[in-house]
Amino acid sequence: MAAADDDQQLLQKVHGLNDLELAALLSLIAREHCIISTTPEAVDELTEELRLIAARTFGLSSAVVSCHAHTTLDDFATALLLAPSPQVSSPSGGGSSTNNISNTGRSGSPFRPRHQPLQHHHHHDPSGTTTAGHYFLPKPGMLSRGLISPSTSTAGSQPLIAHVVLAKHLDRAPRAVQIQALELLRTRRIFTRTSVQTAPKQFLFITVLSATSGGRAHVTPHLNDFFYLAHWHDPEDGFDYLDEEYGAGDEGIPGGEDIYGISDDDAASTDSDTSVVKHRERGSSTFTPSFTDARRSFSQAKSEAVLPADPRQPDQPPVFTETEIALLAQLGRQVCLDVDVARYQMNIISFLRTHRAVGSGITPTATKHFEQLMRSLAPLHGLDYVTPSLVALAAKKVYLHRIKMVAPEKERSMQWGSELAAVEAILDGLGPEDVIDDVLSLVAAPH
């Protein structure tokens, strides 16, 4: 009876999640990584919201990596790391420092320290002046003498990779940086000039991109295929935690308005057709801000009131503990997959691969992630078996970022004499979302 009550409480927690929290939860369950995109003007809000989700929903540390065309490998590796900090007790009962949240504020340190400043090595120049050494620039001869290694370094003095890495605009980074990101995801390690940094057990890499739709959010091909799922967040659906931080009555916002210039009572409730669960209700209404010229932007609001350096709430435990996430993962592995449902899944894959508008993207890795996501979704609905509707939902999330649209001149009917203008007219305006919807309408679901 007690176990049934615990399961019911866990389901209630799941049903209280919004789409962003659900995408992060599914990735943590599968120990995979994801792409989350939104409109260009809302990327900063999305990044801050994800940082708060990492801290308050999952109790995990976070680091923001802001990428651009001139990002170097050192810049990327440095931004992943948190400054060493003393052991603290986690809200879920752990005694390690793994729940220290990174300071993504305006600190000048490359490690964005929060609880303690980074202890740099010091060396003397010929003039006798003491200068602070860079983390990636060890003392002369240390590497050649083998004095720096993961085994000889003390854990308390070494910076650590954050549990949640938010790579903003990773698609703008040089190809070498994106390849380095792929190696980090594959091996869960990153090599610096002085040491080898290992990712923590709970590790989530979220690529935050700006795109007009989810099907337009991509990174380099091999890295793109490595991501488990993709989600496009409509700013009209709101940012729950940010609305709490800057909402009505917040001391940092004059006049009791939120950052969008609307009050809680004026916010309308919306439902997302692609959501697995509904949006979390904050008080008596669901926040759904909209962007207009008359409303203040997020950057303007931040000039009046900024988020705290540590977004955790020490007096409140995270919504999901590591134990609960592990339980959901175990339940997903025990889910039954009927042969008719498996056939439905394979038919969807076949139709996607042969669709005239698809150039590539229906890969073996995608098939593996497809089944994994189907199974992971079932326990979140209180089921121990996969339904056709869960298969359709998983297809929308797994293939959204993978499908690459074919160029009109390479569309297969061109081999049989089709006119280029006619093919261009057919493919005009089509995106991965349209292809997936078309396939789901063609493939008959089992009854």
Side-chain angles (χ1 to χ4, degrees):
M1 187 66 181
D5 292 340
D6 292 341
D7 292 345
Q8 188 62 32
Q9 291 178 1
L10 187 57
L11 282 177
Q12 289 177 355
K13 288 184 180 181
V14 172
H15 293 162
L17 299 179
N18 59 31
D19 289 347
L20 294 175
E21 291 169 312
L22 184 62
L25 176 62
L26 288 168
S27 299
L28 288 170
I29 289 173
R31 296 191 181 278
E32 297 287 352
H33 313 279
C34 62
I35 295 176
I36 299 181
S37 55
T38 188
T39 56
E41 65 272 13
V43 171
D44 289 338
E45 290 100 321
L46 177 59
T47 304
E48 292 293 336
E49 178 72 12
L50 291 172
R51 188 169 73 92
L52 290 168
I53 287 173
R56 298 182 182 176
T57 303
F58 303 106
L60 299 176
S61 60
S62 62
V64 177
V65 183
S66 296
C67 300
H68 49 79
H70 302 290
T71 300
T72 65
L73 295 176
D74 282 358
D75 294 336
F76 178 77
T78 303
L80 301 174
L81 305 177
L82 302 175
S85 58
Q87 298 287 327
V88 296
S89 297
S90 68
S92 58
S96 68
S97 60
T98 56
N99 284 337
N100 293 335
I101 310 302
S102 71
N103 180 4
T104 56
R106 287 77 188 162
S107 170
S109 168
F111 303 116
R112 298 184 175 93
R114 171 173 296 102
H115 302 292
Q116 278 189 343
L118 178 64
Q119 300 297 324
H120 292 282
H121 296 292
H122 289 76
H123 60 274
H124 295 271
D125 61 16
S127 63
T129 304
T130 300
T131 58
H134 193 278
Y135 171 72
F136 290 107
L137 298 178
K139 295 179 180 180
M142 292 188 74
L143 287 178
S144 61
R145 295 197 302 267
L147 297 182
I148 297 180
S149 68
S151 59
T152 60
S153 301
T154 58
S157 62
Q158 287 293 315
L160 304 172
I161 296 179
H163 289 84
V164 178
V165 174
L166 305 174
K168 185 165 63 173
H169 300 308
L170 183 60
D171 55 334
R172 302 178 184 178
R175 184 179 180 85
V177 173
Q178 297 190 44
I179 292 175
Q180 181 81 338
L182 175 60
E183 285 301 303
L184 171 64
L185 302 188
R186 287 181 60 252
T187 64
R188 300 177 68 87
R189 296 184 300 174
I190 189 167
F191 293 86
T192 69
R193 295 182 184 177
T194 59
S195 64
V196 179
Q197 296 293 338
T198 303
K201 181 180 179 181
Q202 276 191 300
F203 178 58
L204 174 58
F205 191 99
I206 301 178
T207 298
V208 183
L209 303 179
S210 62
T212 55
S213 66
R216 296 179 180 271
H218 304 284
V219 288
T220 54
H222 292 292
L223 176 60
N224 194 77
D225 190 42
F226 201 85
F227 284 108
Y228 181 49
L229 58 85
H231 174 70
W232 189 82
H233 182 72
D234 189 346
E236 295 291 334
D237 292 337
F239 301 94
D240 291 349
Y241 279 122
L242 285 181
D243 287 329
E244 286 184 347
E245 290 292 329
Y246 298 113
D250 192 297
E251 295 179 358
I253 305 297
E257 295 182 342
D258 64 15
I259 62 172
Y260 307 105
I262 57 176
S263 65
D264 295 352
D265 295 335
D266 294 334
S269 176
T270 60
D271 295 332
S272 173
D273 294 336
T274 59
S275 300
V276 180
V277 293
K278 301 303 180 183
H279 297 283
R280 179 197 294 123
E281 293 185 354
R282 309 289 190 182
S284 60
S285 63
T286 301
F287 293 96
T288 54
S290 60
F291 290 87
T292 64
D293 294 337
R295 290 169 179 159
R296 293 179 296 172
S297 67
F298 179 66
S299 59
Q300 290 173 324
K302 284 200 297 185
S303 65
E304 301 176 9
V306 297
L307 290 174
D310 186 347
R312 287 182 302 172
Q313 296 174 327
D315 57 333
Q316 295 183 9
V319 178
F320 282 90
T321 64
E322 184 177 357
T323 302
E324 291 172 330
I325 294 174
L327 174 60
L328 290 172
Q330 180 182 2
L331 293 175
R333 291 190 293 269
Q334 297 172 352
V335 164
C336 296
L337 182 61
D338 186 79
V339 63
D340 290 332
V341 177
R343 185 182 298 113
Y344 177 55
Q345 175 203 2
M346 293 304 161
N347 287 341
I348 290 175
I349 295 172
S350 298
F351 273 65
L352 284 172
R353 185 174 286 118
T354 58
H355 196 282
R356 67 183 303 174
V358 174
S360 61
I362 317 303
T363 63
T365 301
T367 302
K368 181 188 74 172
H369 287 168
F370 192 1
E371 181 174 347
Q372 193 173 7
L373 183 56
M374 287 161 35
R375 293 179 179 274
S376 296
L377 285 169
L380 304 189
H381 291 78
L383 302 174
D384 59 358
Y385 57 92
V386 178
T387 65
S389 60
L390 295 182
V391 175
L393 178 58
K396 293 180 179 181
K397 297 301 180 183
V398 168
Y399 291 103
L400 178 62
H401 64 292
R402 286 185 165 94
I403 292 178
K404 183 177 180 181
M405 305 301 291
V406 69
E409 60 273 12
K410 294 184 178 180
E411 197 270 334
R412 64 174 59 91
S413 69
M414 291 292 294
Q415 304 175 54
W416 308 319
S418 295
E419 294 185 3
L420 180 60
V423 174
E424 289 176 342
I426 293 174
L427 298 180
D428 183 43
L430 286 181
E433 299 92 338
D434 304 302
V435 170
I436 296 172
D437 289 339
D438 186 30
V439 167
L440 293 177
S441 66
L442 294 174
V443 180
H447 298 290

